[in-house]
Amino acid sequence: MFNLKFFAVDNFKFQPLSALLLFVNDDKEIEKSLTELQKKYKIKLSELDKKNIQSDHSEIRISQSDFYPSQIIINKVKNQTQLSPDYFRNYLSTVINSLKKSELKNICIEIPELKNFQTTLDDEAYFYQTFVEGFFYGNYEFTQYKKEKKKNSDLNIYLKSNDKKKLVAAIKSAEIIMTAVKFTRDLQNEPGNVVNPIELAARVKKTLAINKIKVKVFDEKEIRKRKMGGVLSIASGSKNPPRFIVIEYKGNPNNKTWDAAYIGKGVTFDTGGISIKSAENMGMMKGDMSGAAVTAGALFAIASAKLPMNILGVIPAVENMPSGSAVRPGDIVKTSSGLTIEVDNTDAEGRVILSDALHYVSQQKPKLIIDLATLTGACMVALADFAAGLFTKNEKLADDLYKVGLKTHDRLWRLPLWDDYNSLIKSEVADVKNLGGKYGGAITAAKFLEYFVDKDIPWAHLDIAGPAMPNRSSSYTEKLMTGFG
């Protein structure tokens, strides 16, 4: 793992233990492009190097022993109908991974012009930002519990573009966001025996002790006082008591309203409760608090960027365990909204705790509400792990979220929220049932949540169950929790 330092430069000054990374387009002009690169950087490519980069090889690496840079990496950007906004981010995450065992100290990168590619990206500064983010993603490791730890070495990354001012801003933005992403991923990857509801609240409070943020933590006594029966019911089977975390960022103190509210599902470990899950892959349920981690990370990034708006973050934190005191299938739970829930299955626990959070936030009257939750396996059945499910009845909010998801590659796909689905969660003994049967599970979960939201407030539910977990959608999401969102 490296200590990364980024610099925007006008020209490269090659030093010992340096590499130069260049890009060429895979088109009819590739031979001419290679000739120009050789002339510009005084590179001597062998006939084999030229043949390799013009064939099926996407990358060549050339070592130079007589002068600097010591290594030259040439990446061929293959012709595609539309280049993914994640292309360079993903590629650079593989580059830094390949360098971790080397003695490299400096890497120089000439960023190609955005206009050279057909892509959904239309923002030059954000295009630059993806280069920086790629290094952060590829550099990420979670080794806190390994006995032998390798000392981090320094890696200087010199970036050159045709707009230095935008590049400087992009580096700053990426550093803010990726610091928050690291915090998010660290929370997700912590084991359940370490990060329980109390520890989650403590870490959020400690990390977010920054300018204009106030963190309030409701303990079990306060949760009971506020009649949050959804939270209390799911927490009842664990020896670790629940916490209800409220994060307030006031970047515009003259405004008395909340511009937005984020809610994150915080199940620090999910066994399924009495409706216990199978043992296979249950260890991944340490990540069932990913919505909570993303909410805390988002507030951290927003405050670090000093955005001039007021944002509310809420995290209901519980551990879902089976025991003699655990909530049972068939139990009826009364929430803080006054609505009652028939618990059909204790493994549909996330929506139950979110019922109290959505009601609490609705009472604060924000301009919009977004909740994030690893809520259903059904959403993964529908979308695999390449995208999160997006549920909202607000067309503008749906369009805005969809577009920003394409830009950042944290992709969303909209699923219906039609009222027909209410019939599937109808209860004969309570106001609503927490499970809707075999079909449409991601949709009925969203319809359940809708019961607890103020109808006058625009609201979106993001089911991040697939992409929050380790997956093969990119090189930097394969092994660890991803920070999606």
Side-chain angles (χ1 to χ4, degrees), residues 289-474:
M289 38 62 71
S290 292
V294 172
T295 295
L299 267 293
F300 185 26
I302 287 165
S304 299
K306 300 178 181 177
L307 297 188
M309 54 181 62
N310 299 334
I311 306 293
L312 179 65
V314 169
I315 298 167
V318 303
E319 185 178 55
N320 188 23
M321 299 290 283
S323 74
S325 60
V327 65
R328 296 163 291 260
D331 283 0
I332 297 175
V333 173
K334 189 172 184 179
T335 67
S336 53
S337 68
L339 291 173
T340 55
I341 300 168
E342 178 188 358
V343 179
D344 189 57
N345 187 309
T346 65
D347 194 24
E349 84 299 329
R351 65 200 74 178
V352 178
I353 66 170
L354 287 171
S355 68
D356 286 324
L358 287 163
H359 176 66
Y360 175 87
V361 165
S362 291
Q363 289 182 310
Q364 314 309 311
K365 302 298 181 184
K367 292 179 182 177
L368 68 90
I369 300 170
I370 299 172
D371 78 74
L372 304 100
T374 47
L375 208 63
T376 67
C379 202
M380 294 176 67
V381 172
L383 302 174
D385 43 25
F386 299 107
L390 164 62
F391 301 85
T392 183
K393 287 181 176 176
N394 187 287
E395 296 300 321
K396 184 181 184 305
L397 185 53
D399 190 52
D400 288 346
L401 286 169
Y402 174 72
K403 285 178 180 176
V404 78
L406 286 181
K407 178 179 176 179
T408 62
H409 210 64
D410 275 6
R411 293 171 292 180
L412 307 170
W413 191 255
R414 193 177 183 185
L415 293 168
L417 203 59
W418 302 322
D419 289 342
D420 309 56
Y421 290 95
N422 282 331
S423 63
L424 301 179
I425 51 174
K426 182 181 179 182
S427 170
E428 298 299 327
V429 294
D431 293 312
V432 65
K433 190 167 57 173
N434 81 326
L435 200 66
K438 185 176 180 181
Y439 300 112
I443 300 168
T444 53
K447 292 301 293 181
F448 174 94
L449 296 178
E450 188 182 32
Y451 272 78
F452 303 92
V453 183
D454 186 321
K455 302 297 185 287
D456 294 327
I457 301 174
W459 161 70
H461 160 57
L462 307 184
D463 191 332
I464 63 173
M469 302 290 174
N471 63 77
R472 296 182 182 179
S473 64
S474 63

Side-chain angles (χ1 to χ4, degrees), residues 40-57:
K40 183 176 182 179
Y41 288 104
K42 298 180 176 60
I43 302 168
K44 188 170 180 58
L45 297 178
S46 68
E47 286 304 310
L48 181 60
D49 292 329
K50 294 176 189 176
K51 292 291 183 184
N52 281 339
I53 198 65
Q54 291 179 66
S55 64
D56 291 335
H57 292 258

Side-chain angles (χ1 to χ4, degrees), residues 211-249:
N211 193 32
K212 296 183 180 178
I213 278 194
K214 182 179 180 181
V215 179
K216 298 185 289 187
V217 179
F218 301 163
D219 60 14
E220 192 172 13
K221 183 179 178 181
E222 183 66 21
I223 292 169
R224 197 173 298 280
K225 181 181 175 182
R226 291 173 180 268
K227 300 179 181 179
M228 294 178 172
V231 172
L232 291 169
S233 66
I234 300 304
S236 63
S238 174
K239 69 176 183 179
N240 294 309
R243 291 292 182 264
F244 194 89
I245 307 163
V246 179
I247 309 164
E248 298 178 346
Y249 168 71

